[in-house]
Amino acid sequence: MLSRTADHLFWMSRYIERAENTARMLDVNVQMSLMPQSAAEAELGWRNMLGISELIPAFEARHDAVYSAEDVLDFMVRDPNNSSSIVACLQAARENARAVRGTLTTEVWETHNDTWLEVQKLMKEGLHETDPSRFFEWVKFRSHLSRGVTLGTMLKDEAFYFIRLGTHLERADNTARILDVKFQSLDDNGPLNQSGRLRAINPLDSQRDFYHWAAVLRSVSAFEVYRKVYRDVITPDRVAELLILNPAMPRALTYCLNEVVDNLSHIKNAQSRETERRAGLLHAELKYGRIDHIFHTGLHAYLTSFLEKVTDLGNRISRDFLVPLQ
């Protein structure tokens, strides 16, 4: 496959996944903002939302240093100067799909094209302002539709594997960022007890903490999964264990790296051996990791290292298979 074709497929899938992830995070913040809280707490929530995507400097360059819901939503949904906004990501996904239209099935191309046409209509109607949760559900639905049509109509060849590779690399990056930012918010509350584990969260004693962690789980569609796996109150260490180490959870880091390693094995070439090795090492760390060891060594340090390795993998994949990043 031509490297430029592979590049368009890879980034098409990353952009549609990024749009969905942004919609998930914004939706949770909107829901959390409806809870009783001070103005300072509300502003911190929206600032952390930007922090997940490392967009605080870009936001402050265009807005006053006040993180209002209206400004953050506009910046993250449709600001043309924010390449990570939902609208920008959907446009980029569509443009990448158009560039390789002959490689995609008609259904996959039409899904991306219709999504772009419809989001322009929704922006004119102002749905993200009048009913943001409904808009975010629409974004998630269109992303689900894109993946479903890809799985249901694409030949399982190199094009398919590059699409899946982009999806899971982007998803792993996002899940790690969410966990890192949300757990850092515990620092002022003394997250560890005497046994070295994160403090237990009892919804009867602390509704705010319960809803905080329930929101984190809902941001990655894991609330019902958590109840099924643990059948107990929500605790931060179990949230981390589910979203880092559980190989059956579709948005967990272990699951995503399993998919990255598997798809790399289908597209490997003469110069990708080191990329495969590094992906395998990262996957092995997750597969055989233990949550108590991760917390003992420091969750923030662990996730920071993970994000650096994922970024390195993305750069190496670009070098080995795609159009090299400038």
Side-chain angles (χ1 to χ4, degrees):
M1 174 178 288
L2 293 175
S3 61
R4 187 165 297 278
T5 300
D7 189 80
H8 286 303
L9 294 168
F10 179 80
W11 283 105
M12 176 192 77
S13 61
R14 288 202 71 161
Y15 278 122
I16 195 71
E17 180 72 21
R18 189 174 300 176
E20 178 187 347
N21 292 331
T22 300
R24 286 176 175 277
M25 293 184 291
L26 287 171
D27 194 24
V28 167
N29 251 49
V30 168
Q31 299 302 322
M32 289 295 292
S33 69
L34 299 177
M35 294 181 61
Q37 57 184 321
S38 67
E41 289 174 325
E43 185 175 347
L44 180 61
W46 290 109
R47 188 180 190 280
N48 287 341
M49 164 71 226
L50 292 166
I52 290 175
S53 303
E54 299 181 357
L55 288 171
I56 291 176
F59 177 84
E60 291 182 344
R62 296 183 53 76
H63 298 274
D64 296 331
V66 177
Y67 300 89
S68 67
E70 294 77 12
D71 286 344
V72 174
L73 282 172
D74 186 77
F75 181 72
M76 293 299 292
V77 169
R78 67 175 183 177
D79 193 319
N81 295 298
N82 175 14
S83 61
S84 293
S85 71
I86 291 175
V87 172
C89 286
L90 294 180
Q91 182 180 20
R94 188 260 187 182
E95 290 305 308
N96 278 283
R98 185 172 64 86
V100 289
R101 184 173 175 178
T103 305
L104 304 173
T105 61
T106 299
E107 289 89 341
V108 174
W109 157 247
E110 289 183 347
T111 297
H112 284 284
N113 193 48
D114 289 348
T115 297
W116 171 239
L117 295 175
E118 192 168 344
V119 76
Q120 294 179 83
K121 177 182 176 183
L122 295 178
M123 287 299 99
K124 292 178 181 178
E125 295 174 352
L127 182 62
H128 68 292
E129 297 173 332
T130 59
D131 193 349
S133 289
R134 182 181 164 197
F135 173 72
F136 298 139
E137 285 299 320
W138 175 85
V139 175
K140 289 188 282 184
F141 171 77
R142 297 304 300 187
S143 179
H144 295 329
L145 183 61
S146 172
R147 280 194 303 276
V149 170
T150 299
L151 286 167
T153 67
M154 289 282 291
L155 185 68
K156 304 306 182 286
D157 60 1
E158 284 189 331
F160 176 84
Y161 298 130
F162 276 112
I163 291 172
R164 298 292 289 171
L165 182 61
T167 294
H168 288 95
L169 202 64
E170 182 69 31
R171 186 178 296 177
D173 180 273
N174 180 77
T175 298
R177 289 180 186 278
I178 290 176
L179 281 171
D180 194 25
V181 171
K182 294 300 184 182
F183 271 86
Q184 284 188 68
S185 68
L186 284 178
D187 288 347
D188 294 334
N189 299 320
L192 294 176
N193 60 26
Q194 292 181 348
S195 66
R197 291 171 64 84
L198 282 163
R199 59 190 177 88
I201 303 300
N202 188 325
L204 296 176
D205 298 332
S206 182
Q207 284 190 336
R208 184 181 301 277
D209 282 338
F210 170 76
Y211 284 112
H212 172 88
W213 293 111
V216 172
L217 290 169
R218 286 194 173 95
S219 72
V220 289
S221 294
F223 184 76
E224 291 83 2
V225 174
Y226 182 96
R227 291 301 195 193
K228 186 175 182 179
V229 172
Y230 296 107
R231 301 179 184 276
D232 203 348
V233 296
I234 299 175
T235 62
D237 49 350
R238 286 178 174 173
V239 171
E241 182 178 54
L242 179 68
L243 298 183
I244 294 175
L245 300 178
N246 193 308
M249 171 62 206
R251 291 185 174 272
L253 304 187
T254 301
Y255 181 96
C256 291
L257 261 294
N258 182 61
E259 289 291 320
V260 168
V261 169
D262 181 61
N263 285 287
L264 271 175
S265 70
H266 290 289
I267 60 172
K268 61 184 179 182
N269 59 27
Q271 62 187 37
S272 65
R273 189 168 183 177
E274 178 62 16
T275 302
E276 294 175 72
R277 188 187 72 84
R278 295 194 182 203
L281 282 174
L282 184 54
H283 179 235
E285 289 177 13
L286 291 163
K287 183 177 180 180
Y288 298 106
R290 293 178 54 180
I291 198 64
D292 55 346
H293 177 71
I294 290 174
F295 278 122
H296 180 72
T297 56
L299 182 64
H300 175 62
Y302 179 87
L303 291 172
T304 298
S305 175
F306 177 85
L307 285 166
E308 290 173 352
K309 291 173 182 177
V310 166
T311 299
D312 176 63
L313 278 180
N315 292 336
R316 287 182 170 276
I317 288 168
S318 293
R319 185 198 65 191
D320 295 342
F321 305 102
L322 314 177
V323 178
L325 296 173
Q326 299 298 322

